[in-house]
Amino acid sequence: VLPSGARIALRPVRPADRPLFHAVFSKFSPEDIRMRFMAPVKALTEAMAARLTLLDYDREMAFIALREGGSDAENALGVVRMSGRLEEADVAEFAIIVRSDRKRRGLGTLLMERTIAHAREQGYRLLAGDVLRENRPMLGLARKLGFRQIETGEAGGVARVVLPLTRAGG
């Protein structure tokens, strides 16, 4: 339940969601898409849809938020994805997108809190994400959730946010 009282179903993404991802892509604004993918993306290709819905559950997870009782594009409100890094087994990375008409209602917080909990359950030491520096709302949410911004030494418009996690049993 969001602070507004709206009821949301939050569940893992499934391979069968590929048609839903194609449909919901049109519900995201070009700016939402640019902030998520860090580049303008005009269409969700079949290869992209497959990559976003066919998960290796041993090292990645994605959660989709839907209006309670809904399963179509009109009811899809946002998606968060977490992937473990092959080169650093104890680091996971996240990416999130929330529909413009659903922002500032607690949905991003809900998606990120579930992702943080999942990363902890999986025993990751660190959750990290790259955020466009101009994406002030996301940087603010990350700060609110305890992430800190670190310098990467790279010039450009991308900020790295990291959240140390406590290992299970440690």
Side-chain angles (χ1 to χ4, degrees):
V1 179
L2 296 177
S4 67
R7 299 183 67 82
I8 301 297
L10 188 62
R11 67 162 174 79
V13 168
R14 304 182 286 242
D17 288 329
R18 193 179 308 180
L20 173 62
F21 270 56
H22 279 291
V24 77
F25 196 82
S26 68
K27 300 296 178 189
F28 292 121
S29 74
E31 187 68 0
D32 294 336
I33 293 166
R34 187 178 72 80
M35 292 292 182
R36 161 57 176 89
F37 294 99
M38 297 189 189
V41 177
K42 294 192 184 328
L44 186 67
T45 66
E46 188 58 32
M48 286 174 67
R51 175 69 192 110
L52 294 171
T53 58
L54 297 172
L55 304 175
D56 173 357
Y57 292 102
D58 288 334
R59 57 173 217 93
E60 57 189 346
M61 177 57 77
F63 297 102
I64 187 166
L66 299 157
R67 278 192 197 97
E68 190 172 63
S71 62
D72 63 6
E74 280 301 317
N75 292 299
L77 308 175
V79 179
V80 65
R81 173 183 199 82
M82 181 201 86
S83 298
R85 293 178 58 181
L86 291 176
E87 64 275 10
E88 294 180 67
D90 58 351
V91 177
E93 303 218 0
F94 76 87
I96 184 171
I97 187 168
V98 173
R99 279 180 28 187
S100 291
D101 63 339
R102 296 296 172 212
K103 290 183 181 175
R104 300 200 181 274
R105 298 182 185 189
L107 184 58
T109 300
L110 177 72
L111 286 164
M112 286 301 299
E113 286 174 344
R114 182 63 192 107
T115 301
I116 292 166
H118 183 75
R120 282 190 173 118
E121 290 164 9
Q122 297 303 307
Y124 287 101
R125 177 186 58 79
L126 191 72
L127 183 61
D130 293 329
V131 180
L132 290 175
R133 290 185 192 277
E134 68 191 83
N135 192 346
R136 298 270 183 231
M138 185 61 219
L139 291 172
L141 174 59
R143 234 182 342 272
K144 179 180 109 175
L145 293 171
F147 285 79
R148 70 187 196 306
Q149 193 171 323
I150 61 169
E151 288 304 319
T152 61
E154 293 183 32
V158 178
R160 181 88 168 155
V161 295
V162 297
L163 178 69
L165 304 169
T166 304
R167 281 192 176 273

